[in-house]
Amino acid sequence: MKRIKKFFQSNNLVTLVWGIGLIIVWEIGAFIIEGSKRSPENVLPHLYQIVASVFSDKLVSNNQTAIQIVMSNAGITLFRAGIGFVIGAAVGFLLALMMNLVKGVEKTIFPYLMIIQMIPILGMAPIVLAITKDINKSRIVIAAILTFYPVATNTLAGFKSVDPQKHELMYSIAASKFEIYRKLLIPSSIPYLFTGLKIAAPMAITASILVDTLQGGGGLGCMLSQSLRHAMSIYVFWQIVFVSAIIGILSYYLMSVIEKLVSPYKRAKIKG
Amino acid sequence: MLAIDYLDKRLKKKDTVSNGDAVSTDIEISIRNLNVSFPDKDGGEPVNALQNINLDIKQGEFISLLGPSGCGKTTLLRTIADLQQPTSGEISVRGLSPREIRLQKKYGIVFQNPVLYDWRTVRRNVCMPMELMGIPKKDRTARVTKMLELVGLMEFGKKYPHELSGGMQQRVGIARALAIKPEILLMDEPFSALDEFTKEKLHEDLLRIWKKTNKTILFVTHNIQEAVFLSDRVVVLSPHPGRVSAVVDIELERPRSLEIKNTPEFNEMVVKVRKSFESVY
Ligand SMILES: Nc1ncnc2c1ncn2[C@@H]1O[C@H](COP(=O)(O)OP(=O)(O)OP(=O)(O)O)[C@@H](O)[C@H]1O
Ligand SMILES: [Mg+2]
């Protein structure tokens, strides 16, 4: 009884209700389109058809099944997004450190950062491409650009929100600037850093997919535009849509897991 | 007794000491005409947190700052600790400025609230200042164990601050300050969040440590009994503006145990301190 009660109170129930609701809406849509006869099944197939296509071993193109194509391209996209993300996170963190460390840097470069952030990805892509002269490098760079801003702003906010008394404690034992950063500012900004990383991770993947659509060279976005042009089974398209959504969500959870690994006191908080 | 009277008395005492040098090194902290005011944000009159404070604290003395809320106890402590700059006047500690003493890492501070690092366990919180002082790891571990034993938190070393009660957190802060064996211990109402039993135990422990180490302790409190029980002298502050309204010598025998609280002498001292308040209000 207790467990059931707990379940109904928890977030699981909310997730479950949303999940079921979405499935119902989807299926109603699929039935209506099916009934209209005008549209072929590939506008909005039934969910079971998509699931079946995942397990089907029908070769779609290049001697690969649909799921093989999707997964190998997901790997390519994830790899680029991952490299971009790591670079962007590192740059973002260092930038936050610089802005906090050197007076004036924040005022000087923050407006530029904001402007860079405001350019739409698809507008940025040609510029980056012109600079790097390589579409694959551009994809990495754009993932990095989207990552560094939330990481930099959140980390900087973390540095600034340190309890002044904790700072005074360090000061009273004449801690050096280096020690203050190492033992106080950086550890206490970790939760903020991870807030930034959690925002950035799905964004880096989205950006990577979006820039994929611009040119060839593999990746989920590439396959997405090809599948839309009916170059291959429509189920490839739907599988890409779902796989993209799933890896986006997983990237967020991966950040949460890493956060708990590096900050054990948070784990204790949840248990207690 | 007024501050001026006290100074007079001290000067008279000085005459009886043959070696003048011995006296000057005897004084650890000397505060002269100290004023601290905080500017008003809205452009009004500045707040005079401390006005014309004169005070000498001897090496090895246990001295309490006693007074109602807002009379500038914390401000005085912070100014001595170089966390707050004087508006005018002078503080010298062993002939040096508070800043120089701070840079020599001679202060140990217990803040009014615990100020623990929530990502560090209790043990690592107590350890933190020792890391900054470059104390070798082996010594650190041993000292942390000793300190936690002292404040009765042996079983809680591996816990995180948020897993402790407020009083336990405060005791971690005390252990942390004591761990570095500071030359001058500044304590801002360290026991006010604790229950009576823990408080009395820590009173005795603090006196024992003090006796053993012979360090100077500046202890802020708003509890008369506490001030009388612990101190050599009680500095009574009065608010608006914050100033020294009396300095009371506590002429009670040492070592003191809790039983002393039942003696007429103790009550006499309490009454004496309380009277010095009444003369102000
Ligand atoms: N940072 C500050 N800015 C402006 N005014 C301040 C500041 N710190 C203290 N004050 C003022 O100085 C006066 C003394 O404050 P202080 O904190 O020293 O009092 P206290 O004796 O420690 O009181 P309590 O017993 O409540 O801790 C108060 O009137 C307070 O408003
Ligand atoms: Mg105070």
Side-chain angles (χ1 to χ4, degrees):
Chain A
M1 254 330 266
K2 238 183 190 167
R3 269 178 66 182
I4 294 171
K5 209 172 157 191
K6 213 169 168 188
F7 177 79
F8 276 100
Q9 284 167 346
S10 70
N11 283 335
N12 293 345
L13 182 69
V14 179
T15 317
L16 191 72
V17 168
W18 271 102
I20 292 172
L22 274 175
I23 290 172
I24 290 172
V25 171
W26 182 295
E27 284 299 313
I28 290 173
F31 270 111
I32 292 172
I33 284 169
E34 202 176 34
S36 75
K37 297 278 183 206
R38 250 189 62 228
S39 321
E41 50 150 27
N42 57 20
V43 172
L44 192 67
H46 288 289
L47 286 168
Y48 70 82
Q49 291 175 306
I50 298 171
V51 174
S53 76
V54 172
F55 297 104
S56 130
D57 45 17
K58 204 177 106 197
L59 300 180
V60 181
S61 103
N62 295 343
N63 291 329
Q64 285 182 305
T65 64
I67 191 71
Q68 277 171 341
I69 293 177
V70 172
M71 281 308 167
S72 63
N73 282 289
I76 296 171
T77 296
L78 265 182
F79 180 70
R80 290 184 198 131
I83 293 180
F85 178 74
V86 170
I87 294 172
V91 170
F93 185 80
L94 292 176
L95 220 52
L97 211 56
M98 282 256 298
M99 286 195 275
N100 201 54
L101 209 53
V102 189
K103 268 188 198 132
V105 170
E106 186 187 350
K107 267 198 191 134
T108 323
I109 67 173
F110 215 88
Y112 293 104
L113 300 186
M114 271 178 69
I115 289 169
I116 291 175
Q117 194 58 23
M118 277 190 264
I119 303 171
I121 304 166
L122 292 178
M124 193 152 44
I127 304 171
V128 175
L129 186 57
I131 296 169
T132 61
K133 298 194 173 64
D134 175 36
I135 187 70
N136 286 336
K137 271 188 208 148
S138 310
R139 286 165 179 155
I140 292 172
V141 169
I142 285 172
I145 289 175
L146 280 191
T147 302
F148 91 86
Y149 185 76
V151 171
T153 47
N154 279 287
T155 310
L156 185 63
F159 289 149
K160 288 189 169 168
S161 61
V162 168
D163 175 9
Q165 282 203 298
K166 288 184 179 149
H167 205 285
E168 281 187 345
L169 179 73
M170 284 268 167
Y171 182 81
S172 75
I173 338 164
S176 67
K177 211 165 194 176
F178 175 71
E179 287 166 330
I180 291 176
Y181 271 89
R182 195 160 74 100
K183 294 195 190 287
L184 174 61
L185 289 178
I186 290 175
S188 68
S189 71
I190 293 290
Y192 292 82
L193 168 67
F194 273 96
T195 305
L197 292 178
K198 282 184 215 162
I199 297 169
M203 268 168 69
I205 290 171
T206 309
S208 197
I209 293 172
L210 207 53
V211 181
D212 277 349
T213 61
L214 293 183
Q215 268 188 25
L220 282 180
C222 235
M223 288 300 122
L224 202 66
S225 43
Q226 282 181 27
S227 66
L228 275 178
R229 279 186 247 112
H230 294 268
M232 54 188 78
S233 156
I234 190 62
Y235 291 112
V236 172
F237 170 82
W238 285 109
Q239 283 183 26
I240 290 172
V241 171
F242 278 95
V243 167
S244 308
I246 290 167
I247 58 177
I249 295 168
L250 284 184
S251 70
Y252 176 92
Y253 277 104
L254 180 66
M255 291 306 120
S256 312
V257 169
I258 296 175
E259 180 178 17
K260 272 171 206 155
L261 286 178
V262 300
S263 40
Y265 71 100
K266 292 233 155 160
R267 253 176 309 180
K269 209 170 240 172
I270 288 159
K271 260 192 271 160
Chain B
M1 196 195 304
L2 287 170
I4 308 292
D5 294 338
Y6 169 72
L7 279 176
D8 279 345
K9 196 173 158 199
R10 203 186 59 77
L11 286 173
K12 267 179 217 145
K13 263 189 194 162
K14 196 177 174 181
D15 293 340
T16 62
V17 180
S18 55
N19 189 336
D21 275 344
V23 172
S24 63
T25 52
D26 197 18
I27 299 296
E28 177 124 68
I29 304 172
S30 143
I31 302 168
R32 287 285 169 276
N33 308 319
L34 178 72
N35 288 286
V36 177
S37 58
F38 294 103
D40 191 87
K41 275 197 204 88
D42 310 321
E45 287 279 295
V47 180
N48 278 343
L50 293 173
Q51 194 173 65
N52 199 31
I53 305 286
N54 284 289
L55 189 66
D56 280 320
I57 299 168
K58 289 197 261 314
Q59 200 283 320
E61 192 171 26
F62 197 124
I63 198 157
S64 285
L65 300 177
L66 181 73
S69 181
C71 68
K73 305 183 293 292
T74 299
T75 306
L76 181 53
L77 201 82
R78 288 172 53 85
T79 315
I80 293 171
D82 189 38
L83 297 174
Q84 170 71 49
Q85 296 312 310
T87 311
S88 68
E90 218 182 303
I91 298 180
S92 87
V93 185
R94 303 176 163 197
L96 298 173
S97 68
R99 183 183 155 75
E100 285 163 313
I101 298 294
R102 176 177 65 79
L103 292 178
Q104 290 177 5
K105 305 178 199 262
K106 293 219 161 111
Y107 289 126
I109 304 181
V110 181
F111 291 93
Q112 201 163 350
N113 36 348
V115 198
L116 301 179
Y117 290 5
D118 38 12
W119 57 91
R120 283 181 169 237
T121 61
V122 166
R123 283 195 77 93
R124 303 229 314 125
N125 261 289
V126 176
C127 220
M128 204 279 298
M130 290 193 276
E131 290 168 15
L132 296 183
M133 299 188 79
I135 293 168
K137 186 156 188 204
K138 221 177 119 203
D139 299 356
R140 290 205 301 253
T141 315
R143 238 193 263 178
V144 169
T145 306
K146 218 171 126 191
M147 287 303 134
L148 288 182
E149 220 166 329
L150 182 79
V151 296
L153 290 175
M154 248 337 259
E155 302 93 81
F156 296 90
K158 292 216 161 64
K159 297 263 186 227
Y160 287 93
H162 66 85
E163 298 174 283
L164 306 184
S165 72
M168 288 155 94
Q169 291 181 10
Q170 190 62 20
R171 280 184 274 159
V172 177
I174 294 163
R176 179 179 58 193
L178 291 174
I180 55 172
K181 300 182 180 165
E183 293 294 318
I184 298 162
L185 186 57
L186 306 171
M187 308 179 89
D188 195 353
E189 299 189 28
F191 303 141
S192 55
L194 302 182
D195 63 280
E196 211 55 38
F197 306 103
T198 316
K199 196 190 285 193
E200 291 197 330
K201 181 189 167 292
L202 286 174
H203 281 165
E204 286 195 307
D205 288 335
L206 183 61
L207 285 184
R208 212 180 50 239
I209 293 169
W210 172 67
K211 184 165 177 276
K212 211 165 74 186
T213 57
N214 192 31
K215 297 294 155 62
T216 308
I217 298 184
L218 195 60
F219 189 96
V220 169
T221 177
H222 50 231
N223 183 320
I224 298 178
Q225 312 258 342
E226 180 172 67
V228 168
F229 179 71
L230 293 171
S231 318
D232 292 328
R233 278 191 296 149
V234 176
V235 177
V236 179
L237 296 173
S238 61
H240 312 300
R243 66 217 122 93
V244 176
S245 63
V247 179
V248 182
D249 280 288
I250 306 299
E251 290 138 350
L252 294 173
E253 266 176 31
R254 297 217 188 244
R256 295 172 193 169
S257 66
L258 289 172
E259 284 86 64
I260 201 178
K261 292 190 180 176
N262 304 321
T263 63
E265 290 84 5
F266 184 83
N267 286 321
E268 229 170 77
M269 286 324 301
V270 171
V271 169
K272 196 170 163 190
V273 173
R274 184 169 288 134
K275 276 235 175 81
S276 69
F277 270 107
E278 281 159 4
S279 65
V280 181
Y281 298 102

